[in-house]
Amino acid sequence: MPTIYDVAAACGVAPSTVSRAFSRPGRVNAETAARIRQVAEEMGYRANPLARALPTGKTSLLALVVSDVTNPFYFEIIRGAELAATEADYTLLVADVHESATVERKALERALPLVEGVVLGTSRMSDSAIRVMAQQRPTVVLNRVLTGIPSVITDNARGARRAVEHLASLEHRTIGYLAGPEASWADGMRWRAMREAAEMLDLRVQRFGPFAPTLAGGAEAVPLVVASNVTAVVAYNDLVAIGLMRGLAAADVRVPRDVSVVGFDNIFGAEICSPALTTVAAPLTALGKYAVQTLLAGMSSRTPPQTRPALLPAELIIRDSTARRARRRRS
Amino acid sequence: MPTIYDVAAACGVAPSTVSRAFSRPGRVNAETAARIRQVAEEMGYRANPLARALPTGKTSLLALVVSDVTNPFYFEIIRGAELAATEADYTLLVADVHESATVERKALERALPLVEGVVLGTSRMSDSAIRVMAQQRPTVVLNRVLTGIPSVITDNARGARRAVEHLASLEHRTIGYLAGPEASWADGMRWRAMREAAEMLDLRVQRFGPFAPTLAGGAEAVPLVVASNVTAVVAYNDLVAIGLMRGLAAADVRVPRDVSVVGFDNIFGAEICSPALTTVAAPLTALGKYAVQTLLAGMSSRTPPQTRPALLPAELIIRDSTARRARRRRS
DNA sequence: CAAGTCATGGCAACCGCTTGTCGTCCCGGG
DNA sequence: CCCGGGACGACAAGCGGTTGCCATGACTTG
């Protein structure tokens, strides 16, 4: 690999001039710069990002920490984040932390010195731990609000409201909520919004759980739902909703005839499961994209970043898992 | 951030001694080393990976290039690769190339100087392009064989055979194959193995396509399948299979009663779709893990790496999308 | 007791690029 | 004709480690 020294020698100029020819347009005579660029091109010169990063700290690397890469929830988020990063000439480092705060800490420790900024997707760390690390590198959190730290969230309240309204319009009067992990910020939001919306519409709501945010978690809820008198249930997320539906099918309860089911997030899978899942779609790609853009904006400006959470709209997607309430079938 | 210079000053030794205390155990007196380590610990010293990488080239970074991060096929692969990388104290850089050879080239160009090695998952680049880049960095390819370059593949032949045998045991006599992209190495393998297995069992096979390896691709195949006289079809991958099933359902053709469907890969989604998909399961996590391990092995040994492709076993998972042949219903 | 060996620590060069500072040359104005 | 100032390039000092080589002193060995 040729270096600026090689290029400089070939052009008969000093290395610093070559450096400036690339990074400081105008600082060097236009003709000289053009000549240097051409020679560099011919020699196949590429700046060594490591060497560049050492004195400047500009690695052009951003970290995206996700709690579990195999969770379909993240696919689109990663895609969106990548898009935004690439657009700004950054490379995204995706770190998977396997749902463990310990692994998350380790991964961050490893990645932190390398990256210029961090997006925390559904972090499992404590607020204070996040604050500590936000001091080391610009940070944006996803799906969580943390005063003083920029965050990007979906409008869960609105989504939950839409879901409840939809169910109400189908004449459901008592609906269940399958709660997610206690530590989940989104869970709290969703549940609260549901309760409020239900109250407004004079519906009854009942909370089950908490359950693991997985297919298995949803399956666990089956007996509780069956034993209750809810005619519709809203699940913490799509995975739980799908798990529930599969369990229900196994228990010979029909969706949506016997019970309607609504999920959250609209992950890959919500559409192909059967019946296709009615769900509150989170703007996943936009979430990832916007998080990175927010991060980059915060990095470039000298002023402290905007810390009011950015609220991205959620939308109810009506598919086949919800229907008009029928007489409840008891098993 | 304290540097080795700070630590050295605090200990009253030379910076080089501090460096060696960490990286060259035994080279420095045990007591001195212990003291240095302790002081470093107290000061919160962490080696700057950039500075370390500059002279040594050891970035502890590996790249995994995937054609599309939102494709569920990769989730487990990424997970496996990450696992193996972390285990060896490497960090994985996942690059998404959006199914484009151009983007792939750009991404590689950007990442190459940063990483010590590359795993190419389902590359869209030409053989020669891959060979060129394999000269710059140790490379392992996934799902593709390239003489002279280490590769890790699933035993498609065996999987296809199992699928055909299964279908034969259900008394299907003529089966269809929904082809994937022409450029796909796996597609060729799967089709060939199917043909051979079919011949052995005295079945008739018919090839449709090529189709895009997506849900939409599978949907496209519906009219062809309906118009043909096959009673079972094997799809290039699960996405295509699921797309087909959904299209078939819309066309009022019942799976598996009217036609049996088999997929490939066993991605997330194969289990939750309806009917649950019978599929040839690729050892996805193992694939990613093994690829990284192979890469690391090749990097550390002085001898040229093993280039005979590693064949990981595929297994047929029988679910609900295949059944005994019935009289074929014509629409 | 002289000479050779080994363990240990220090010196300094180097990885490739950035950037503050300085020298030189040229130009115009007083 | 001299001087101030701008444009341009070169010099050199880092960034934070790694590592080859040397100096020193202690210990072994004949």
Side-chain angles (χ1 to χ4, degrees):
Chain A
M1 279 269 98
T3 71
I4 47 170
Y5 292 90
D6 302 324
V7 176
C11 287
V13 298
S16 52
T17 304
V18 176
S19 171
R20 282 195 258 259
F22 287 106
S23 52
R24 201 75 23 130
R27 176 63 175 77
V28 54
N29 184 294
E31 289 172 36
T32 318
R35 186 162 47 92
I36 292 176
R37 284 219 193 75
Q38 199 201 322
V39 171
E41 168 80 19
E42 282 163 11
M43 300 177 69
Y45 165 77
R46 337 232 56 143
N48 178 333
L50 253 57
R52 195 208 300 280
L54 188 48
T56 60
K58 223 195 136 338
T59 58
S60 293
L61 245 37
L62 257 29
L64 169 62
V65 180
V66 301
S67 57
D68 176 5
V69 262
T70 65
N71 185 333
F73 176 65
Y74 288 114
F75 306 157
E76 302 271 324
I77 292 184
I78 295 176
R79 161 67 58 95
E82 249 243 351
L83 246 32
T86 306
E87 198 171 300
D89 255 303
Y90 272 78
T91 300
L92 193 69
L93 200 61
V94 180
D96 178 14
V97 305
H98 316 323
E99 297 284 358
S100 141
T102 319
V103 177
E104 182 165 1
R105 194 172 239 110
K106 286 230 180 68
L108 276 171
E109 202 161 287
R110 169 195 291 299
L112 219 50
L114 241 39
V115 303
E116 293 179 49
V118 179
V119 174
L120 252 30
T122 324
S123 175
R124 293 305 185 241
M125 297 193 304
S126 67
D127 283 13
S128 57
I130 293 181
R131 287 221 172 73
V132 167
M133 85 130 273
Q135 282 175 258
Q136 313 212 19
R137 287 285 184 283
T139 302
V140 169
V141 295
L142 225 47
N143 303 313
R144 178 158 170 171
V145 221
L146 219 56
T147 58
I149 298 189
S151 58
V152 178
I153 57 180
T154 63
D155 193 343
N156 284 304
R158 180 194 156 113
R161 221 176 300 134
R162 289 277 172 284
V164 173
E165 286 167 5
H166 169 61
L167 258 14
S169 78
L170 294 174
E171 293 173 16
H172 293 276
R173 311 305 306 157
T174 89
I175 62 191
Y177 176 70
L178 265 41
E182 313 246 19
S184 164
W185 183 85
D187 179 69
M189 278 294 139
R190 289 167 184 184
W191 167 235
R192 191 150 63 103
M194 258 195 71
R195 255 201 342 221
E196 288 172 6
E199 187 163 347
M200 200 96 76
L201 295 165
D202 209 23
L203 303 194
R204 214 185 303 282
V205 290
Q206 191 175 345
R207 185 169 192 270
F208 303 99
F211 301 101
T214 59
L215 291 178
E220 258 176 60
V222 172
L224 300 181
V225 169
V226 168
S228 77
N229 62 345
V230 303
T231 59
V233 359
V234 175
Y236 164 67
N237 71 11
D238 288 350
L239 245 22
V240 172
I242 295 172
L244 173 73
M245 292 202 305
R246 302 213 311 151
L248 250 20
D252 214 23
V253 178
R254 311 269 277 280
V255 175
R257 227 191 63 177
D258 301 328
V259 36
S260 289
V261 176
V262 179
F264 259 97
D265 296 341
N266 192 31
I267 61 172
F268 166 87
E271 199 184 349
I272 64 172
C273 63
S274 173
L277 186 65
T278 294
T279 187
V280 177
L284 299 174
T285 309
L287 226 41
K289 203 161 173 176
Y290 198 74
V292 166
Q293 286 168 347
T294 305
L295 181 61
L296 290 170
M299 280 165 43
S300 61
S301 81
R302 201 69 227 112
T303 60
Q306 169 74 19
T307 66
R308 193 141 36 103
L311 209 60
L312 267 38
E315 186 186 340
L316 182 69
I317 297 193
I318 298 173
R319 296 207 183 90
D320 309 329
S321 65
T322 46
R324 191 161 297 276
R325 184 187 97 197
R327 176 189 306 282
R328 181 71 199 290
R329 186 180 88 166
R330 314 305 302 239
S331 44
Chain B
M1 280 269 98
T3 71
I4 47 169
Y5 293 89
D6 302 325
V7 176
C11 288
V13 299
S16 52
T17 305
V18 176
S19 171
R20 282 195 264 257
F22 287 106
S23 52
R24 200 76 22 132
R27 177 62 176 76
V28 55
N29 183 295
E31 289 172 38
T32 318
R35 185 162 47 91
I36 291 177
R37 284 220 192 75
Q38 199 200 321
V39 172
E41 167 81 18
E42 281 163 13
M43 299 177 69
Y45 165 77
R46 337 232 55 143
N48 178 332
L50 252 57
R52 195 206 304 278
L54 187 49
T56 60
K58 223 195 136 338
T59 58
S60 293
L61 247 35
L62 257 29
L64 169 62
V65 180
V66 301
S67 57
D68 176 6
V69 262
T70 66
N71 185 333
F73 176 65
Y74 287 114
F75 306 157
E76 303 270 324
I77 292 183
I78 295 176
R79 160 68 59 94
E82 249 244 351
L83 245 33
T86 305
E87 198 170 301
D89 255 302
Y90 273 78
T91 301
L92 194 69
L93 198 60
V94 179
D96 179 13
V97 304
H98 315 324
E99 296 284 358
S100 142
T102 319
V103 177
E104 181 165 2
R105 195 172 237 110
K106 285 230 182 68
L108 275 171
E109 202 161 288
R110 170 195 290 300
L112 219 52
L114 241 39
V115 304
E116 291 179 50
V118 178
V119 175
L120 252 30
T122 324
S123 176
R124 294 305 184 239
M125 296 192 305
S126 67
D127 283 14
S128 58
I130 294 181
R131 288 221 171 72
V132 168
M133 85 130 273
Q135 282 176 257
Q136 313 212 17
R137 288 285 185 282
T139 301
V140 169
V141 294
L142 224 47
N143 303 313
R144 179 158 169 172
V145 238
L146 218 56
T147 59
I149 298 191
S151 58
V152 179
I153 56 180
T154 62
D155 194 344
N156 284 304
R158 180 194 156 114
R161 221 176 301 132
R162 288 278 173 283
V164 173
E165 287 168 3
H166 170 61
L167 259 13
S169 78
L170 294 174
E171 293 172 16
H172 293 276
R173 309 307 304 157
T174 90
I175 62 191
Y177 176 69
L178 266 39
E182 312 247 19
S184 164
W185 183 86
D187 180 67
M189 277 294 139
R190 289 168 184 184
W191 167 235
R192 191 150 63 101
M194 257 195 72
R195 254 198 346 218
E196 289 172 7
E199 187 163 348
M200 200 97 73
L201 295 166
D202 210 23
L203 303 193
R204 213 184 304 280
V205 290
Q206 190 175 346
R207 186 169 190 270
F208 302 100
F211 301 101
T214 59
L215 292 177
E220 257 176 60
V222 171
L224 300 181
V225 169
V226 168
S228 76
N229 63 345
V230 303
T231 59
V233 358
V234 175
Y236 164 66
N237 71 12
D238 289 349
L239 245 23
V240 172
I242 294 172
L244 173 72
M245 291 202 305
R246 302 213 310 152
L248 250 19
D252 215 22
V253 177
R254 311 269 278 278
V255 174
R257 229 191 61 177
D258 302 327
V259 37
S260 288
V261 176
V262 179
F264 259 97
D265 295 342
N266 192 31
I267 61 171
F268 166 87
E271 198 185 349
I272 64 172
C273 63
S274 174
L277 186 66
T278 293
T279 187
V280 177
L284 300 174
T285 309
L287 226 41
K289 203 162 174 174
Y290 198 73
V292 166
Q293 286 168 346
T294 305
L295 181 61
L296 290 170
M299 280 165 42
S300 60
S301 82
R302 202 68 226 113
T303 60
Q306 168 75 20
T307 65
R308 193 141 38 100
L311 207 61
L312 267 39
E315 184 187 343
L316 182 69
I317 297 193
I318 299 172
R319 296 209 183 90
D320 309 330
S321 65
T322 46
R324 190 161 298 276
R325 183 185 97 195
R327 176 188 306 282
R328 182 70 199 291
R329 187 181 88 167
R330 315 305 301 243
S331 43

